Amino acid sequence: MHEGRSFKIIYHLLTKGQATAPELASRFEVSVRTIYRDIDALSGAGIPIYTEPGRNGGIHLLDGFVLDRAVLSETEKQEILLSLQSLSATRQIDSSEILGKLSALFHTHPEDWLEVDFSRWGSDREGDGSDDQKFQTLRAAIIRRQAIRITYAGPYGTTSERTVHPLRLLYRSKSWYLRAYCTEKKALRLFKLTRILDHALTEEHFSYDAFLDQPELPPQKYTAVTLRFPGEMAYRVYDEFDSTQVHRQEDGDLIVSAEMPEDAWLIGFLLSFGTQVDILSPARLKEIVAEQARAIYEKNKP
């Protein structure tokens, strides 16, 4: 008997109430004979499962049956507890009571291995405008399908007021983003959480189904960029780039080859390395950064 399939059979019967052998065979891509062997094995293991003949018959579980902890392997029990612990570590979901009950049921106690803090260094974690509070409000808005009004810091010094329908929180490349439908732009957008300066729930609710046919976010234009850094910048290079993108040279220098968005952010990013970066390609990017550096010097020269 395949343990994974047997659990799925039980779960399917608990959800649907009953099923036929051909239906289960088609669902799990096995023969009807294999399904009957699984049913016999489950029955032999003490699961109150039975078949009922006739036109309206099928495979059933005895009324009142609940899953016993023995159905789960030790590894599966640990994964369940660790998943709940991960949610609890965000401090946005209090799963401590559930963790306690399941730990007692499973007779195991996972190590306290994870802590997540959404606040930035030096910020007030408990304040009304804290990153933690912002994350919690956005999470609630997504779950309740509730529109939210945000003040957002855009590029080139712009700030805008928008009403958005929040759909998902996304973590990528060391930053949190909100994937939402912008009612002003009438399109899906990504909003970086640190750039949401203010936020407030509205009384408006929306249906998630309305966004099922929405096109995905438009693809961002990426450019192949090659950069050289001195070896002493390794701490920063590995902060910003995946190790597969970094190639150490015999002289200790680091060559980085990456696909990057060619926009104002990239120019600022490269300028943040000061004289510790050499842009090998593309040539036009080197010219743009040099021009920006000259403008900075002219503006700040004594």
Side-chain angles (χ1 to χ4, degrees), residues 155-301:
Y156 310 110
T158 60
T159 301
S160 59
E161 300 281 338
R162 307 185 187 208
T163 298
V164 301
H165 296 167
L167 303 174
R168 183 176 300 166
L169 286 165
L170 167 69
Y171 183 80
R172 185 171 185 180
S173 186
K174 301 182 291 185
S175 295
W176 281 98
Y177 297 87
L178 172 68
R179 186 173 185 267
Y181 179 81
C182 177
T183 58
E184 279 78 6
K185 301 293 184 181
K186 299 190 183 305
L188 294 175
R189 290 290 187 266
L190 276 181
F191 300 96
K192 195 171 185 178
L193 260 63
T194 51
R195 295 182 189 171
I196 298 178
L197 308 181
D198 196 11
H199 60 285
L201 292 170
T202 71
E203 297 300 320
E204 178 190 352
H205 287 78
F206 62 91
S207 170
Y208 186 82
D209 293 343
F211 304 101
L212 295 178
D213 296 328
Q214 281 285 327
E216 288 296 318
L217 296 167
Q220 193 170 12
K221 181 183 177 182
Y222 284 82
T223 299
V225 177
T226 305
L227 311 168
R228 180 188 289 270
F229 299 91
E232 58 265 27
M233 289 297 292
Y235 73 96
R236 175 85 189 276
V237 170
Y238 288 111
D239 267 352
E240 305 291 351
F241 299 97
D242 189 274
S243 60
T244 59
Q245 299 171 312
V246 183
H247 305 280
R248 186 177 290 275
Q249 307 302 294
E250 290 185 2
D251 61 1
D253 283 1
L254 303 171
I255 300 293
V256 172
S257 300
E259 297 281 329
M260 305 187 74
E262 191 172 343
D263 55 17
W265 170 86
L266 178 57
I267 306 305
F269 173 75
L270 294 173
L271 285 169
S272 72
F273 287 96
T275 60
Q276 300 299 308
V277 61
D278 183 9
I279 302 170
L280 302 182
S281 68
R284 68 177 181 279
L285 183 59
K286 191 180 186 78
E287 293 171 2
I288 294 170
V289 170
E291 184 179 337
Q292 286 290 314
R294 280 193 293 270
I296 293 171
Y297 171 75
E298 290 298 327
K299 186 174 183 178
N300 294 280
K301 68 181 180 180

Side-chain angles (χ1 to χ4, degrees), residues 17 20 38 51 107 123 131 134-135 142 147 186 252-253 283 295:
T20 65
D38 288 344
T51 58
H107 299 294
S123 66
D131 292 323
K134 184 191 305 179
F135 190 93
I142 292 170
K186 299 190 183 305
D253 283 1

Side-chain angles (χ1 to χ4, degrees), residues 10 14 47-48 61-69 71:
I10 294 172
L14 283 170
I47 304 296
L61 287 168
L62 192 67
D63 289 344
F65 170 76
V66 294
L67 281 174
D68 185 82
R69 66 174 184 266
V71 174

